[in-house]
């Protein structure tokens, strides 16, 4: 086995190696790149401080641009950055949508503005007034939605979106002043959810309904972190919120800004942190609603030509090198943190941001993949700026990156050579489970492969493990429950039904999820409804399904029915999450393999104070199954997937205490290893 390279780059510069390189000596040849990234960030921060005073003051574009009331001047200012435009005018119901009535004056920095005094507009620019901006460029004229619009509403008849003034008489009264992310979330147990499809009824759910009906379920399940999808306004409901048009607007299809604040405030009251699924990797290409071709240049916010188009997503790609784009996106982060009290972000599409090839059809086989010409260093700089800003605004905020490339240092402090995120998603784990269930018979599972996939992550960089997310639940794919149960999920779900297909599915659903939680990372994620094996995928209303909401909902009644196996799966999920919280399992360091028995398909490992005994054999149950444990003493069962409460067969006495004995000079335990089950043991003395 070859040894790691020496620290050649540090010697050449007479500097001690970066902590990231000290931790991973294989990065030594690329330390100059890491240092260049650091130097570029420092230089950019110095420019920002020189021009604006601080990074947080730089991130205030949303306070200047757009429509704002000026109490001192008594009137509204409207400002818009549109450097290539020839003329701008504000239009709306306040001026009869007259494109000549309210022109803006151009400024030297490409920002156009107009002031609308109360004496003339007090009774016309009011709460709920509708407005747009008319933009004239060398390529024509269009009515557009302002770039930093706070609220967009859709006309139910014409389906046209317009900006809406939102000035309620009473400001929302927050009561979450004592909530602290660091206290509530020791180890993130994340519940990924979409407000609109969270109800059982076939319609769009609201922020208030989610707060009243779904938050109690999340709390009861033991999850301490809610990750909200589709909050930023998007014109097409079926995009799942990933084709954003209005980055500062709360999606009005779910309710008002105050109602979203109520949801977040209520989550905080219940001890649950809230992450925003933020999309800074691309934007919708629509011109009627979004930013595309706003000033007529074709590349105001985005790259020019083919580089500005994402080939797989049919969307526009930001030009992170532009100061104005940096300011726009950083201001967006500050806005969501301050205005809505979000506790951090799950950054969507980070792989697409980091590389010119966007990760499409690329295999990341060596370290050169992360430091060569294919890396978009402008995006790296933006992400470092974003992480720096978030820490300034809310020190304990959580940052999660959706990255499948494995970029070294992505989840490492910037000062030590990293990019500054806290966690990355373990995107390979759900892919592995689906591939395994699709292509491999149960009796042919390779436990060596299984162990490798679930433990293969960068040391020192924290990972969010998940067995499935929204990606696996979308129509065209299948959830784990669908793969496991097949048609029996509709016909054999009564708790007393002995159907062997359903029995196998129940057993494996529990095993796969607990194995992912206990082995796969330092945080865990579940998608709404999957905790009880939701029987259907997600398909939003569209022309192809006659605009049906049949599959854009969650059937909570199945989980609430004590006669069904769904409730048994729900109980198990709550039990494993509660156990992970009580024992601080995810903060306990990596698991230690104690036994891998390929013949009997038994895997035993320890993590923290717990010992996990997984038996994957399809039929073999072994009495007096012996295995090594590091510590002598008495052990008790703290979780048994075979408990009848969880849809098992009750073959083990959960009240029995196991005592170690010495054999072959080591401490051992003996248990009844029943097939397709997992026992979790805790040392009690």
């Amino acid at each position: 086995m070859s040894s790691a390279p020496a620290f050649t780059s540090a010697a050449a510069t007479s500097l001690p190696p970066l902590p990231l390189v000290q931790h991973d000596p294989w990065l030594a040849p690329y330390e100059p790149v890491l240092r260049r990234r650091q130097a570029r960030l420092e230089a950019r921060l110095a420019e920002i401080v020189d021009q604006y005073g601080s990074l947080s003051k730089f991130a205030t574009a949303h306070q200047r641009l757009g429509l704002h009331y000026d109490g001192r001047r008594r009137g509204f200012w409207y400002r818009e950055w549109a450097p290539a435009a020839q003329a701008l005018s504000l239009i709306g119901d306040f001026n009869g949508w007259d494109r000549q009535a309210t022109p803006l004056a151009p400024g030297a920095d490409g920002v156009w503005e107009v002031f609308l005094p109360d004496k003339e507009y007090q009774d016309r620019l009011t709460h709920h007034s509708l407005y747009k901006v008319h933009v004239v460029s060398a390529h024509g004229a269009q009515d557009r939605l302002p770039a930093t619009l706070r609220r967009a509403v859709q006309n139910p008849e014409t389906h046209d979106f317009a900006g809406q003034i939102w000035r309620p008489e009473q400001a929302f009264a927050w009561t979450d002043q004592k909530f602290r992310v660091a206290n509530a979330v020791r180890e993130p147990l994340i519940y990924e959810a979409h407000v609109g499809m969270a109800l059982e009824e076939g319609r769009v759910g609201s922020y208030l309904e989610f707060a009243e009906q779904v938050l109690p379920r999340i709390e009861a399940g033991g999850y301490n972190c809610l990750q909200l999808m589709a909050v930023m306004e998007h014109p097409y409901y079926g995009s799942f919120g990933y084709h954003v048009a209005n980055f500062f607007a709360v999606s009005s299809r779910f309710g008002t800004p105050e109602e979203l604040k109520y949801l977040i405030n209520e989550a905080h009251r219940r001890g649950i942190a809230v992450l925003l699924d933020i999309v800074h990797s691309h934007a919708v290409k629509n011109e009627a609603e979004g930013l595309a071709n706003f000033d007529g240049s074709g590349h105001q916010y985005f790259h020019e030509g083919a580089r500005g188009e994402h080939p797989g997503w049919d969307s526009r790609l930001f030009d992170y090198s532009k100061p104005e784009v940096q300011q726009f996106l950083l201001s967006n982060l500050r806005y969501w943190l301050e205005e809505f009290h979000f506790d951090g972000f799950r950054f969507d599409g980070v792989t697409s941001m980091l590389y010119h090839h966007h990760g499409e059809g690329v295999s990341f086989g060596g370290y050169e993949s992360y430091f060569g010409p294919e890396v978009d260093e402008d995006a790296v700089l933006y992400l470092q700026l974003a992480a720096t800003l978030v820490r300034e605004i809310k020190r304990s905020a959580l940052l999660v990156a959706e990255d499948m490339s494995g970029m070294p240092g992505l989840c490492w402090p910037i000062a030590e050579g990293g990019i500054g995120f806290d966690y990355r998603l373990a995107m390979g784990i759900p892919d592995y489970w689906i591939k395994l269930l699709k292509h491999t018979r149960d009796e042919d599972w390779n436990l060596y492969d299984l162990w490798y996939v679930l433990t293969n992550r960068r040391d020192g960089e924290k990972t969010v493990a998940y067995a499935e997310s929204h990606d696996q639940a979308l129509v065209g794919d299948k959830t784990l429950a669908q793969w496991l149960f097949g048609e029996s999920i509709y016909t054999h779900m009564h708790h007393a039904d002995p159907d062997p297909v359903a029995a196998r599915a129940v057993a494996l659903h529990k095993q796969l999820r607990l194995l992912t939680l206990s082995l796969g990372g330092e945080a865990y994620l579940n998608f709404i409804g999957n905790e009880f094996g939701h029987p259907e995928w997600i398909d939003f209303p569209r022309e192809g399904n006659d605009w049906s909401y049949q599959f854009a909902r969650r059937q909570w009644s199945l989980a609430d029915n004590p006669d069904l196996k769904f409730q048994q799966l729900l109980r198990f999920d709550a039990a494993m999450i509660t156990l992970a919280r009580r024992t601080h399992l995810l903060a306990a360091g990596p698991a230690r393999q104690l036994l891998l028995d390929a013949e009997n398909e038994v895997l035993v490992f320890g993590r923290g104070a717990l010992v996990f005994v997984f038996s994957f054999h399809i039929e073999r149950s072994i009495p007096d199954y012996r295995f090594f444990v590091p510590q002598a003493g008495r052990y008790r069962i703290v979780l048994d997937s075979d408990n009848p409460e969880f849809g098992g067969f009750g073959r083990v006495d959960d009240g029995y205490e196991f005592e170690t004995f010495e054999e072959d000079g080591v401490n051992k335990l003996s248990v009844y290893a029943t097939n397709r089950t997992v026992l979790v043991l805790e040392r009690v003395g």
Side-chain angles (χ1 to χ4, degrees):
M1 185 174 179
S2 61
S3 59
F7 296 111
T8 54
S9 60
T13 60
S14 72
L15 294 171
L18 289 167
L20 175 60
V21 178
Q22 289 179 326
H23 187 79
D24 182 1
W26 290 100
L27 285 170
Y30 308 100
E31 186 168 4
V33 180
L34 296 173
R35 290 192 179 277
R36 282 198 298 272
R37 289 176 181 173
Q38 279 188 329
R40 191 176 183 208
L41 173 64
E42 291 171 4
R44 181 66 186 123
L45 286 172
E47 289 176 354
I48 290 171
V49 170
D50 182 59
Q51 294 177 43
Y52 294 88
S54 70
L55 181 61
S56 58
K57 289 180 181 178
F58 176 64
T60 55
H62 60 296
Q63 297 174 11
R64 180 189 180 210
L65 301 176
L67 188 65
H68 298 284
Y69 187 76
D70 186 335
R72 186 178 59 83
R73 290 281 302 273
R74 295 186 179 277
F76 281 94
W77 281 103
Y78 176 67
R79 298 183 180 94
E80 194 72 61
W81 177 60
Q86 295 178 345
L88 270 72
S89 59
L90 193 64
I91 58 174
D93 50 18
F94 71 95
N95 65 4
W97 301 94
D98 184 344
R99 298 186 178 102
Q100 280 73 48
T102 316
L104 276 67
D109 57 355
V111 174
W112 300 68
E113 67 179 23
V114 64
F115 182 70
L116 301 103
D118 281 352
K119 61 183 180 181
E120 186 177 349
Y121 295 95
Q122 185 173 8
D123 297 327
R124 289 191 276 163
L125 282 174
T126 60
H127 186 45
H128 290 147
S129 291
L130 301 179
Y131 67 99
K132 291 187 179 186
V133 60
H134 184 67
V135 181
V136 179
S137 73
H139 300 284
Q142 284 183 299
D143 296 340
R144 304 296 301 256
L145 296 184
T148 57
L149 185 71
R150 302 289 182 93
R151 181 167 171 82
V153 292
Q154 188 174 26
N155 185 306
E157 295 179 0
T158 66
H159 304 295
D160 181 47
F161 280 88
Q164 185 181 59
I165 293 178
W166 194 254
R167 297 185 70 206
E169 291 184 7
Q170 294 292 327
F172 182 79
W174 292 95
T175 61
D176 64 348
Q177 289 80 9
K178 294 183 179 180
F179 179 80
R180 296 291 182 272
V181 180
N183 296 334
V185 184
R186 302 293 180 87
E187 303 89 34
L189 294 158
I190 304 169
Y191 197 89
E192 181 187 34
H194 184 287
V195 167
M197 54 161 280
L199 301 182
E200 184 145 358
E201 299 173 58
R203 61 179 176 84
V204 178
S206 73
Y207 299 119
L208 291 181
E209 289 169 321
F210 189 96
E212 299 300 329
Q213 299 180 34
V214 184
L215 279 181
R217 295 180 181 274
I218 298 171
E219 182 183 21
Y223 292 89
N224 58 22
C225 199
L226 167 63
Q227 180 178 299
L228 284 180
M229 310 173 66
V231 170
M232 306 162 80
E233 190 62 85
H234 47 290
Y236 179 47
Y237 187 43
S239 75
F240 231 142
Y242 290 118
H243 276 198
V244 174
N246 313 111
F247 285 76
F248 291 84
V250 173
S251 182
S252 59
R253 58 170 55 87
F254 310 131
T256 69
E258 282 67 39
E259 289 167 348
L260 174 60
K261 291 175 182 179
Y262 175 84
L263 190 166
I264 296 170
N265 193 66
E266 179 66 10
H268 288 168
R269 187 184 70 79
R270 295 177 180 273
I272 300 169
V274 188
L275 303 183
L276 175 63
D277 194 346
I278 201 157
V279 186
H280 283 183
S281 49
H282 65 132
V284 72
K285 66 189 297 183
N286 300 27
E287 294 187 8
E289 297 93 8
L291 298 173
N293 198 33
F294 188 90
D295 68 352
S297 67
H299 54 86
Q300 180 185 354
Y301 288 92
F302 310 107
H303 285 291
E304 189 173 5
R307 191 179 171 190
E309 306 277 349
H310 194 293
W313 296 347
D314 192 31
S315 54
R316 299 304 310 272
L317 296 172
F318 287 106
D319 183 350
Y320 303 106
S321 70
K322 288 186 176 180
E324 295 88 352
V325 173
Q326 293 175 359
Q327 188 176 37
F328 176 84
L329 295 174
L330 292 172
S331 300
N332 193 233
L333 296 175
R334 178 170 183 171
Y335 170 73
W336 291 110
L337 288 172
E338 293 185 334
E339 184 69 21
F340 292 94
H341 292 204
F342 277 102
D343 301 300
F345 303 100
R346 179 261 197 193
F347 272 70
D348 178 68
V350 169
T351 304
S352 176
M353 298 173 72
L354 286 172
Y355 307 96
H356 297 302
H357 51 61
H358 312 300
E360 302 243 314
V362 174
S363 175
F364 293 89
Y367 277 26
E368 64 277 1
S369 305
Y370 309 114
F371 301 102
E374 288 301 323
V375 176
D376 187 339
E377 294 294 341
D378 294 331
V380 172
L381 173 63
Y382 168 67
L383 291 173
Q384 289 178 316
L385 287 168
T388 303
L389 174 73
V390 170
R391 296 285 174 258
E392 280 190 18
I393 302 296
K394 198 166 191 173
R395 182 169 296 278
S396 61
L398 298 172
L399 292 175
V400 180
E402 188 203 27
D403 171 50
M404 49 75 65
S405 75
M407 166 71 79
L410 179 63
C411 303
W412 199 273
I414 294 171
E416 299 182 6
I419 294 177
F421 280 81
D422 297 304
Y423 297 87
R424 63 154 47 89
L425 294 175
M427 300 179 71
I429 294 178
D431 291 344
Y432 172 77
W433 287 133
I434 297 299
K435 185 177 179 181
L436 190 69
L437 294 175
K438 284 176 67 173
H439 301 297
T440 308
R441 300 185 309 164
D442 297 2
E443 54 266 44
D444 294 332
W445 285 14
N446 186 319
L447 296 191
Y448 294 97
D449 286 349
L450 186 151
W451 175 269
Y452 174 77
V453 171
L454 269 80
T455 60
N456 180 31
R457 54 188 182 272
R458 288 194 59 79
D459 180 48
E461 298 193 42
K462 293 183 287 189
T463 297
V464 179
Y466 60 107
E468 51 187 342
S469 70
H470 70 271
D471 285 327
Q472 288 71 43
L474 291 168
V475 67
D477 206 333
K478 294 181 182 179
T479 64
L480 287 180
Q482 286 178 295
W483 284 113
L484 289 165
F485 282 96
E487 289 301 312
S488 68
I489 204 166
Y490 302 108
T491 56
H492 294 286
M493 295 303 287
H494 191 276
H495 71 86
D497 191 323
D499 178 65
V501 173
R504 166 192 176 265
V506 168
L508 289 181
H509 194 271
K510 292 179 290 187
Q511 283 190 301
L512 268 55
R513 296 172 73 80
L514 181 55
L515 191 63
T516 302
L517 168 66
S518 55
L519 267 190
E522 293 70 39
Y524 177 74
L525 178 143
N526 165 71
F527 179 67
I528 182 172
N530 285 354
E531 68 273 18
F532 65 85
H534 197 277
E536 293 174 342
W537 49 35
I538 301 160
D539 189 11
F540 282 92
R542 56 186 174 86
E543 188 175 0
N545 63 17
D546 293 326
W547 304 102
S548 169
Y549 287 88
Q550 171 65 28
F551 299 109
R553 62 193 184 105
R554 297 286 88 177
Q555 298 182 58
W556 301 109
S557 59
L558 300 176
D560 294 340
N561 190 334
D563 293 332
L564 299 180
K565 292 180 170 72
F566 295 107
Q567 188 170 107
Q568 296 171 336
L569 294 177
L570 179 65
R571 289 196 201 108
F572 181 79
D573 193 84
M576 78 174 192
I577 294 295
T578 300
L579 178 63
R581 286 187 69 160
R582 178 179 68 79
T583 60
H584 297 291
L585 174 68
L586 297 174
R592 309 173 306 282
Q593 188 183 119
L594 304 178
L595 176 68
L596 196 157
D597 179 354
E599 180 181 353
N600 292 304
E601 296 186 54
V602 175
L603 174 63
V604 184
F605 59 88
R607 188 171 185 188
L610 303 178
V611 174
F612 297 80
V613 184
F614 282 86
S615 172
F616 292 101
H617 205 283
I618 63 171
E619 59 184 5
R620 187 179 300 164
S621 297
I622 308 171
D624 191 23
Y625 191 82
R626 303 182 174 199
F627 54 89
F628 159 75
V629 289
Q631 287 185 295
R634 291 179 294 112
Y635 289 76
R636 65 182 175 94
I637 297 173
V638 289
L639 187 60
D640 172 13
S641 71
D642 202 41
N643 189 309
E645 181 185 9
F646 307 137
F649 298 97
R651 290 169 286 177
V652 174
D653 180 2
D654 288 352
Y656 183 77
E657 284 195 356
F658 303 85
E659 192 154 356
T660 58
F661 56 90
E662 190 173 320
E663 183 178 84
D664 301 326
V666 297
N667 301 311
K668 287 192 174 182
L669 280 176
S670 172
V671 303
Y672 182 21
T674 54
N675 69 305
R676 281 187 177 139
T677 60
V678 52
L679 287 177
V680 186
L681 307 170
E682 184 176 32
R683 185 170 171 270
V684 293

